[in-house]
Amino acid sequence: MRVPLSVLDLSPVSAGRSRRDALDDSLRLAVMAEESGYKRYWLGEHHGSKLFMASATSLLLARAAEHTSSIRLGAGGVMLPNHSPLMVAEYYGTLATVYGDRFDLGVGRAPGTDPVTANALRRGSAHLSDFAADVVDLAHYLEPSAQDDPGMAGAEVETFGFETNPASLRSRILAIPGEGTRVPLWMLGSTLGGAGVAASLGLPYGFASHFAPQFLRNAAATYRVNFNASAPTAQVERPYLMAGVNVMVAPTEREARFLFSSFAKWRSEISRDLNRPLSKPDEAWVSDAPMSSAGVVGTPEQAVEFLDEFVEQFKLDELIVVSYAWDPQLRRRSYRLLAEAWAERA
């Protein structure tokens, strides 16, 4: 039986189109992903990018929830050192309270931006031990309260203009809404450090092999060997590994390679410190070389063959695919053609 397919979206903006267009295109992709049978639609958090518009992921997920009904929606992910765990629990607890059990909360410790912007975000510690402690706090905030606490919160005192009486205030921190929603947590990462934290906390693990494929094998082994199903934070009974894959699918391999030239050119520009939107396909950037060890460019049949082998090689439980095209309609077509081929041969 084939593993599930999910979508990773970063809300890329194309040259000649507006940032609003990019966000509208992401909404259309979420709707299409549900119609095509994808299991999840996840948004990645980035800041200060001229290409990626997904900075306020919880807001975009709320918008997607208004226009879908069954696909799981999630953060792929929330870069936890950029945020207070309490506020993350409140944001995603609010989504779960309004729209029900349809959300996943993937957390990572990368900044999702440059050091200057990270500083402006008032970023906290990304040290592994501090990060793991924040994840534990986040999991705690999403659990039901252990006991009823009749004390008042500072919010009530402040709202009604009462004088603060320390004896009457709550002694516990509550994420409201958030407590009791049990939004599922995922650990995301591209290093052995993240794999170790995912294992020790008993969390499902999403590995960013779409940009760090060289570390996937060792990270998968670290995660599986050290997995602790009895951890208080455990969300799954056994290791569950999802890996990211870059995919560009078109009716012909030639067209797929032509469409992929937009991303190839952008990736080269980034390596030269040029931060620009995605440009139109360019014959000068068309290559016959393989995309990477965790990516495929070609027809639906070629993509399915590659992904089947990729799943078997790393014994994956799920795939999350990311696709870039200057034309958003052709990006959606890439996802749709892949989903159809994946289901047809299942």
Side-chain angles (χ1 to χ4, degrees):
M1 184 175 178
R2 272 221 173 89
V3 303
L5 279 183
S6 293
V7 169
L8 175 62
D9 185 17
L10 307 178
S11 293
V13 62
S14 297
R17 293 175 61 80
S18 70
R19 294 172 179 177
R20 169 65 185 268
D21 289 336
L23 297 177
D24 288 346
D25 291 333
S26 284
L27 177 60
R28 295 185 185 100
L29 177 59
V31 173
M32 185 282 303
E34 179 172 87
E35 293 171 347
S36 298
Y38 282 92
K39 183 171 185 177
R40 312 176 202 274
Y41 169 83
W42 279 11
L43 278 164
E45 174 189 332
H46 290 83
H47 301 275
S49 171
K50 292 185 179 178
L51 176 63
F52 303 134
M53 297 297 106
S55 54
T57 52
S58 59
L59 296 179
L60 299 179
L61 291 173
R63 190 182 188 209
E66 291 284 354
H67 293 82
T68 58
S69 60
S70 59
I71 192 170
R72 294 200 64 83
L73 304 170
V78 168
M79 299 298 102
L80 197 52
N82 292 344
H83 310 275
S84 153
L86 175 60
M87 292 195 72
V88 174
E90 290 174 342
Y91 288 168
Y92 284 83
T94 298
L95 289 172
T97 300
V98 175
Y99 301 107
D101 180 21
R102 292 180 54 202
F103 295 89
D104 303 314
L105 184 44
V107 295
R109 64 189 182 100
T113 189
D114 59 88
V116 176
T117 306
N119 184 63
L121 289 167
R122 300 185 178 181
R123 185 170 166 79
S125 172
H127 189 278
L128 274 175
S129 59
D130 296 327
F131 172 65
D134 281 348
V135 177
V136 171
D137 285 345
L138 177 57
H140 174 73
Y141 290 140
L142 294 169
E143 289 292 318
S145 296
Q147 61 185 18
D148 185 36
D149 186 345
M152 295 175 63
E156 291 98 335
V157 172
E158 184 176 277
T159 298
F160 295 108
F162 297 144
E163 297 235 357
T164 302
N165 179 2
S168 69
L169 296 179
R170 282 195 198 113
S171 59
R172 294 179 298 117
I173 300 171
L174 301 179
I176 301 176
E179 62 164 351
T181 57
R182 287 179 167 150
V183 177
L185 291 180
W186 284 70
M187 180 62 59
L188 309 182
S190 59
T191 67
L192 294 183
V197 174
S200 66
L201 299 181
L203 300 180
Y205 184 41
F207 189 81
S209 42
H210 56 294
F211 67 79
Q214 68 274 26
F215 301 122
L216 174 56
R217 187 174 302 279
N218 286 342
T222 297
Y223 172 60
R224 290 176 174 133
V225 167
N226 296 288
F227 186 80
N228 181 12
S230 62
T233 53
Q235 309 258 317
V236 287
E237 296 179 351
R238 64 171 184 82
Y240 189 97
L241 180 61
M242 175 170 64
V245 186
N246 288 297
V247 176
M248 173 48 66
V249 176
T252 67
E253 181 180 356
R254 174 62 186 169
E255 183 185 0
R257 291 191 176 278
F258 178 65
L259 296 177
F260 181 71
S261 67
S262 295
F263 180 67
K265 182 178 180 181
W266 176 82
R267 188 170 55 186
S268 175
E269 290 176 340
I270 284 293
S271 70
R272 293 180 282 119
D273 297 326
L274 298 174
N275 186 0
R276 298 171 176 168
L278 207 63
S279 61
K280 290 184 178 181
D282 186 342
E283 285 287 353
W285 287 90
V286 174
S287 171
D288 292 331
M291 180 193 287
S292 73
S293 58
V296 58
V297 180
T299 64
E301 294 74 22
Q302 289 172 318
V304 166
E305 181 179 0
F306 174 90
L307 294 177
D308 276 339
E309 293 175 357
F310 189 67
V311 168
E312 178 61 27
Q313 180 181 4
F314 295 101
K315 308 302 179 186
L316 301 174
D317 299 289
E318 190 169 336
L319 292 170
I320 188 162
V321 296
V322 56
S323 186
Y324 299 94
W326 174 78
D327 186 332
Q329 294 187 52
L330 297 181
R331 183 166 76 115
R332 291 194 295 275
R333 185 188 68 176
S334 175
Y335 281 112
R336 187 175 63 253
L337 290 174
L338 175 61
E340 290 171 354
W342 194 251
E344 182 178 325
R345 286 184 51 181

